[in-house]
Amino acid sequence: ERTVFGSRKKLDANLLTDTAQDKSLAFTSLLLSGYHRNLSELADRATITETLGGGAVNYTLRNFKIGFTAVYGTYDAPYQARRQLYSSLVLHGNSFYNAGINYSFNWKNAYFFGEAASNGSDWAGISGFIASLDPALDATILYRHYGQNYSGPYVNAFGESSKNSDEQGTYLALSYHPS
């Protein structure tokens, strides 16, 4: 199975501008709310262009699946985070990419899964399994590691924070579902 995708769209963003030349220098944040309720929000509407391209290749053999995914994106203005303690953990510049590999397989009453990805600066990974111990009881063990410099605008993974960087941990769960 193969998938190729591409996208070009305008995004709402806060711009840094050179008022002397009336020219945009960079953007400091993307506005994801979709609201345009006041003059400030209207001024930030559709101010930068994002271009994306990528693809995925997946291979399935009986109960085993492996896949590779990659995305590359550019903005028509550089991203420049505000100078704050956490800003060293986010992407900078006009472009980004993420590439990853994922797997899953079933073995008897257990389902194993995982994914590892890199943005060129760091990596992130998650791996785990879910086992049916009884028809009414499942156990889950999951380990995650998100490197300090791992980031991406479309990264969305299981974790404690919304940034999916600089985090590691183990998740243990028992799920009881009576009939």
Side-chain angles (χ1 to χ4, degrees):
E1 175 183 323
R2 293 174 298 280
T3 304
V4 177
F5 62 88
S7 169
R8 185 175 179 92
K9 63 182 177 180
K10 290 288 206 178
L11 299 175
D12 298 350
N14 285 320
L15 292 178
L16 286 175
T17 55
D18 181 348
T19 53
Q21 296 182 20
D22 195 28
K23 178 181 168 187
S24 297
L25 301 175
F27 69 99
T28 58
S29 64
L30 294 173
L31 306 175
L32 305 175
S33 72
Y35 293 128
H36 306 105
R37 301 167 293 195
N38 55 45
L39 293 177
S40 176
E41 290 175 351
L42 282 170
D44 294 335
R45 185 175 184 178
T47 52
I48 64 165
T49 302
E50 176 190 67
T51 305
L52 292 175
V57 176
N58 293 301
Y59 178 73
T60 303
L61 178 63
R62 290 190 302 263
N63 59 349
F64 180 76
K65 183 176 182 180
I66 190 164
F68 176 78
T69 306
V71 62
Y72 179 78
T74 62
Y75 300 113
D76 63 353
Y79 178 67
Q80 183 178 341
R82 292 186 174 96
R83 296 287 176 212
Q84 295 173 342
L85 179 61
Y86 62 84
S87 66
S88 64
L89 303 178
V90 297
L91 73 131
H92 296 279
N94 286 64
S95 64
F96 65 90
Y97 82 92
N98 268 286
I101 188 167
N102 62 79
Y103 74 92
S104 66
F105 68 94
N106 293 312
W107 182 67
K108 296 187 178 183
N109 291 341
Y111 175 70
F112 297 83
F113 58 91
E115 179 178 4
S118 174
N119 65 351
S121 299
D122 215 334
W123 71 280
I126 191 166
S127 194
F129 76 93
I130 302 170
S132 181
L133 305 176
D134 181 84
L137 184 65
D138 294 336
T140 302
I141 298 176
L142 182 137
Y143 175 74
R144 67 186 183 282
H145 169 86
Y146 308 138
Q148 182 176 3
N149 295 312
Y150 183 75
S151 66
Y154 294 102
V155 173
N156 187 13
F158 178 84
E160 292 291 323
S161 76
S162 62
K163 294 189 319 182
N164 300 126
S165 64
D166 197 20
E167 180 178 317
Q168 63 182 337
T170 303
Y171 173 81
L172 304 170
L174 287 175
S175 175
Y176 177 70
H177 31 269
S179 2

